Amino acid sequence: MKKTVLSLLLFGCIASSLYAQQFTEYSVPSQNIFNPREFATGDIDGDGHIDIIVPENTNSSISVLYGTGDLSSYTMVRYTLVDPTVSGNMKPWAIVIMDIDDDNSDDIVFSNYANTANATDGVYWMQNTGSRTFGSVQLIRFHDRCRGIYKGNFDTDARDELVVAGDNNSIGNLKILNITTSGGSIVLLNYYANRRPLHVTSTDITNDGIQDLIYSSFGTGSEANNSTSSTNGVKTLQSPSYNFGISLITNATHTVAGTRKTVIDDFNENGVNDYIAVSAAGTTTSIKSYNPSQGETSHFFSTDGSRNLISIAAGDFNDDNVPDIAAIDNVTNEVLLFPNNASSGMATTNISFGTTSVLSSTTNAPTWIDAVDLDNDGDLDILTSNNGSGANSGGFIQILRNDAIVLSTPEVSTKNIKVITSDSEIIISNVPSSVKSGDLYDISGRLIRTQELSSQNNRFPINTLQSGVYILKLSPSNTSFKIVKQ
């Protein structure tokens, strides 16, 4: 039987918005990266440092920036992709790291977007063979115009499934694949999503313990294969009782073309996850949110074509214990921060954001943004991939190291909290009344699960989690525990 080990991380008991903040910029590595797209992060070589895995769309390669503990210095290794099916160049678009062969080492899984009727379209993987080496490219499944990929647990076993999205204008398609340890695939869900599904994520919409799909609809056109989904924007695909044949589509946020990415969090502190999406549809570029109480609201809107927001990330960037939004603009070459007006632990009906600030104006044709604590200091850092253009055409990865300094940290009594773990659950006892919820994150900073907490509701299921390191964060006390599931 696997054994779960627990230790306390002293991240501090932060319950105040009084802070000093600045971001330190790094552009890494010194070599050019060819047309970087949707990168991934994680400790893929097992040395304790977060690595950055970057698909090079125009170079038939994937580069890994191996972390060294110094955010200004990464070791870059480029892996050339050799197509196992035809002689054409591969065009990797999105990356996930996933232990396909169950050897406790994450493998590289990537989507290939050739943008033609080319047999190389689909999802592929490379086996992690240790010592920063990977095996040859292997096909998982053909999928036309494959761009968005996502891993998550959508059934009752302990292994993650893989979601792939094909954004063909006329026959857009979503599939959930059950992946075997040899890289084969069994289709659990085949769903026509004709308006070009692009970005995929998930959350438990109905609180039934089952992850549901959230996908961004990028294009325009008819919905011949799916008459119930007639608009662009963000849509939810629910799977009651693990039965993917029973599907409910609801249009939730951002009913305009060009929706690029969706993030999910409790932005108004009411205990219910909200959706925030970004669109880069030229003169209608905007950020919009949706929550059950408020409906849909536009938070940023430009009609003069001066902005083109194409990707967003969510996280508590200013240590006030509420999630904010960071976005990239590939017209002004800026990284923008939309600070959340909500107060930690105080539920509000509306989602609203404060004055937008520019965190950086030195990006160069940015394509993707994400947030992860790269240096393990408790603050979320910001990463962007940049294509480069004009005189400086070389692509690169930009890091904005978050140097938030807390000036006032009122104490919250957490010394009596007890955490008991087993292979199947985490039990939290002596929870203070001030603590309302717990968030479970993986080591790369991805939110795995949110659970409301009280003296009567104090259990966190972990039976479906893979072995690895997780962080359990209690809110609003900001006390965090490290869970090591072996």
Side-chain angles (χ1 to χ4, degrees):
M1 179 178 292
K2 290 183 179 179
K3 182 180 180 182
T4 302
V5 181
L6 176 72
S7 63
L8 175 64
L9 280 182
L10 298 179
F11 282 166
C13 303
I14 302 170
S16 172
S17 59
L18 183 59
Y19 59 90
Q21 183 180 24
Q22 63 180 15
F23 286 84
T24 303
E25 296 185 28
Y26 305 104
S27 294
V28 294
S30 57
Q31 304 97 316
N32 289 346
I33 298 178
F34 297 92
N35 197 217
R37 306 307 305 183
E38 299 179 14
F39 55 81
T41 57
D43 183 10
I44 201 166
D45 60 350
D47 66 351
H49 302 304
I50 298 296
D51 310 309
I52 308 170
I53 304 94
V54 187
E56 297 183 284
N57 184 254
T58 59
N59 196 52
S60 196
S61 59
I62 290 172
S63 283
V64 179
L65 310 184
Y66 288 102
T68 64
D70 179 356
L71 300 193
S72 65
S73 175
Y74 282 77
T75 299
M76 178 176 167
V77 179
R78 175 170 284 130
Y79 302 91
T80 299
L81 305 178
V82 178
D83 194 321
T85 57
V86 297
S87 59
N89 288 335
M90 306 199 78
K91 294 182 178 295
W93 188 276
I95 298 277
V96 297
I97 56 174
M98 183 177 182
D99 185 8
I100 296 286
D101 52 359
D102 284 350
D103 65 350
N104 294 318
S105 295
D106 282 322
D107 308 301
I108 293 177
V109 180
F110 67 94
S111 62
N112 197 58
Y113 178 66
N115 200 23
T116 65
N118 190 314
T120 62
D121 281 6
V123 60
Y124 296 79
W125 74 294
M126 298 190 301
Q127 183 185 29
N128 190 341
T129 53
S131 300
R132 299 183 177 180
T133 61
F134 292 87
S136 59
V137 174
Q138 302 177 61
L139 173 68
I140 294 177
R141 192 174 189 87
F142 291 119
H143 199 77
D144 191 29
R145 305 288 179 92
C146 188
R147 283 212 270 185
I149 56 174
Y150 177 79
K151 71 172 182 180
N153 195 293
F154 298 96
D155 58 17
T156 57
D157 66 15
R159 284 173 55 85
D160 281 337
E161 285 74 51
L162 187 67
V163 183
V164 297
D167 77 339
N168 190 302
N169 270 323
S170 59
I171 51 171
N173 185 274
L174 280 168
K175 283 184 172 67
I176 296 180
L177 305 177
N178 188 3
I179 310 299
T180 68
T181 55
S182 62
S185 63
I186 301 169
V187 178
L188 297 182
L189 168 71
N190 185 28
Y191 178 76
Y192 287 109
N194 302 87
R195 292 185 181 251
R196 302 178 65 186
L198 182 63
H199 177 250
V200 182
T201 186
S202 70
T203 189
D204 184 2
I205 298 170
T206 56
N207 294 317
D208 61 357
I210 307 168
Q211 288 293 297
D212 307 299
L213 278 179
I214 313 294
Y215 69 93
S216 302
S217 181
F218 179 65
T220 60
S222 63
E223 292 279 295
N225 294 307
N226 178 18
S227 60
T228 62
S229 180
S230 59
T231 60
N232 301 296
V234 177
K235 300 180 177 66
T236 64
L237 180 58
Q238 300 177 25
S239 52
S241 302
Y242 304 99
N243 184 350
F244 294 105
I246 303 174
S247 302
L248 171 65
I249 291 295
T250 57
N251 296 319
T253 249
H254 220 81
T255 53
V256 296
T259 306
R260 293 290 187 99
K261 187 181 180 184
T262 304
V263 293
I264 303 167
D265 211 323
D266 182 9
F267 290 95
N268 63 340
E269 296 287 292
N270 70 345
V272 178
N273 276 341
D274 316 295
Y275 316 141
I276 289 188
V278 65
S279 170
T283 58
T284 59
T285 183
S286 58
I287 289 176
K288 289 189 178 181
S289 68
Y290 177 87
N291 70 71
S293 300
Q294 184 188 14
E296 182 179 299
T297 300
S298 177
H299 298 293
F300 177 87
F301 192 80
S302 175
T303 58
D304 60 7
S306 63
R307 292 198 179 276
N308 195 38
L309 306 181
I310 63 170
S311 185
I312 55 175
D316 180 12
F317 298 111
N318 53 16
D319 281 351
D320 62 355
N321 214 32
V322 294
D324 312 299
I325 290 292
I328 49 175
D329 184 332
N330 73 347
V331 170
T332 63
N333 286 321
E334 294 173 336
V335 180
L336 304 171
L337 176 65
F338 297 80
N340 194 343
N341 282 336
S343 298
S344 177
M346 300 179 64
T348 61
T349 299
N350 296 332
I351 300 174
S352 64
F353 292 91
T355 303
T356 304
S357 59
V358 177
L359 300 183
S360 171
S361 57
T362 61
T363 64
N364 198 330
T367 59
W368 196 250
I369 187 171
D370 210 346
V372 64
D373 184 4
L374 291 171
D375 51 4
N376 295 313
D377 66 350
D379 293 318
L380 281 177
D381 309 301
I382 296 174
L383 296 85
T384 66
S385 56
N386 296 261
N387 278 342
S389 60
N392 181 18
S393 59
F396 60 97
I397 295 292
Q398 181 188 46
I399 295 174
L400 298 180
R401 189 187 70 200
N402 191 345
D403 299 319
I405 303 172
V406 178
L407 303 179
S408 178
T409 57
E411 293 184 0
V412 176
S413 178
T414 59
K415 64 181 180 180
N416 294 322
I417 296 177
K418 294 182 179 179
V419 179
I420 302 171
T421 67
S422 68
D423 286 345
S424 60
E425 64 181 357
I426 304 169
I427 303 173
I428 309 165
S429 59
N430 298 330
V431 178
S433 59
S434 59
V435 173
K436 304 298 182 184
S437 66
D439 295 320
L440 193 66
Y441 297 86
D442 65 15
I443 192 62
S444 67
R446 181 171 65 99
L447 179 64
I448 302 298
R449 185 174 295 126
T450 296
Q451 177 75 47
E452 293 185 22
L453 294 176
S454 66
S455 57
Q456 291 78 34
N457 184 26
N458 63 344
R459 295 173 183 265
F460 240 100
I462 59 172
N463 57 303
T464 61
L465 296 184
Q466 294 183 352
S467 299
V469 179
Y470 300 86
I471 303 297
L472 175 62
K473 179 179 177 182
L474 304 183
S475 297
S477 72
N478 208 34
T479 301
S480 297
F481 297 86
K482 181 169 73 174
I483 307 295
V484 182
K485 187 173 183 182
Q486 297 181 340

